[in-house]
Amino acid sequence: MPEGRRWVRPLGWAVSVVSLAAVVWWALQQDAPTLPDTPETIAAFAGAIGLYAVAALVRGERWRLLLSECDVAAPRADCHALIWVGYMGNNVLPARAGDGMRAVFMAPRAKADLRTVVGTLLAERLLDIAVLAAGFVVLAWLAVGGRGFPELSTVAVVLAVLAAGVAVAVLAVAILHRRGLLHRVRELLGPVLHSTRLLRGRHGAEMVGATILIWGLELGVWWLCAEAAGLGIDPIEAGYILALSSMLALVPAAPGQAGTMDAAVLIGARALGRPQSASVAYLLLLRFVLLVPVTAVGFILLVTRYGGVARLRSARAGNIAS
């Protein structure tokens, strides 16, 4: 691991441990949660699992279209199967290693440059962040009237930090240009940024539409889990909790966003004034739906279709050598 990034993994684990400990301590002070025990709540729970699978299918199609736009003829079956493998990797391994697994397995099967495949994952991430950020602003105002937004002073500090980051980036580009290294950097990063540069015109609009559909389906998952838990929230309020949790998921954390997602769900439910025991039940159901089925399917696909961890290591070595 590069010297400058050695602190990222310990920081992620520390954030998760502290957040998870706080969540567990809080949950132990509440009444025992009631899990689905009626036909209606059981049906809602089963519907959430099914809807999450549909969202994964749409993600697979979006990835295939991003690859196709980069002239990568990726097999449709691999685009869909590797979504599940990637989910599994992100749920059980640190540093979103599942995304790396997707790229390493896809590159040789599609006969593509690994950097180009990685670039499509970057485009996915940027699309998700853009839609989630916009959704959070809208849903927060609709659900809680904007409560919980940072104060203007905090916003000013964040903007100042962003401006400083842009200034540093511009300075770095100027130094690289002066030393004659900018061309080499562009050649190295060009394939990685290619998919993002293509997000314009009709293709960009289609990808934004697909991303909105994905998160609309995920909103349905979160709302159905709330129905199964008896939390008593409407789809807009479920969308607010989803957006809040997903934005906090940008914070470095342990596998499966342990701790950070849990804290965000409970904070969001509390902001909506929902019962604490129902909030705990909601969190437990969400954790099951978002982690257990997809991790099991992803592991089965990893072993049966992609040869397991040993094949991953050999594929990674082959990509690095090439």
Side-chain angles (χ1 to χ4, degrees), residues 157-185:
V157 171
V158 172
L159 292 177
V161 171
L162 291 175
V166 171
V168 170
V170 171
L171 178 61
V173 170
I175 292 174
L176 290 171
H177 178 70
R178 183 175 301 176
R179 295 184 177 182
L181 299 176
L182 185 58
H183 181 67
R184 291 185 183 179
V185 173

Side-chain angles (χ1 to χ4, degrees), residues 104-116:
V104 168
F105 280 128
M106 178 59 80
R109 285 176 173 260
K111 298 181 175 60
D113 187 336
L114 179 62
R115 293 173 298 171
T116 300

Side-chain angles (χ1 to χ4, degrees), residues 85 93 97 100-106 108 114 302 306-322:
V85 172
L93 299 172
M101 295 170 67
R102 286 170 59 192
V104 168
F105 280 128
M106 178 59 80
L114 179 62
L302 175 65
Y306 299 103
V309 177
R311 184 66 178 273
L312 173 64
R313 291 172 179 168
S314 61
R316 180 181 179 185
N319 279 301
I320 292 175
S322 61

Side-chain angles (χ1 to χ4, degrees), residues 106-183:
M106 178 59 80
R109 285 176 173 260
K111 298 181 175 60
D113 187 336
L114 179 62
R115 293 173 298 171
T116 300
V117 179
V118 170
T120 62
L121 303 186
L122 173 63
E124 282 184 349
R125 190 72 169 158
L126 293 176
L127 285 165
D128 287 339
I129 291 173
V131 169
L132 282 169
F136 174 72
V137 172
V138 173
L139 292 167
W141 278 108
L142 292 176
V144 294
R147 295 195 305 274
F149 279 149
E151 298 179 357
L152 289 178
S153 58
T154 304
V155 174
V157 171
V158 172
L159 292 177
V161 171
L162 291 175
V166 171
V168 170
V170 171
L171 178 61
V173 170
I175 292 174
L176 290 171
H177 178 70
R178 183 175 301 176
R179 295 184 177 182
L181 299 176
L182 185 58
H183 181 67

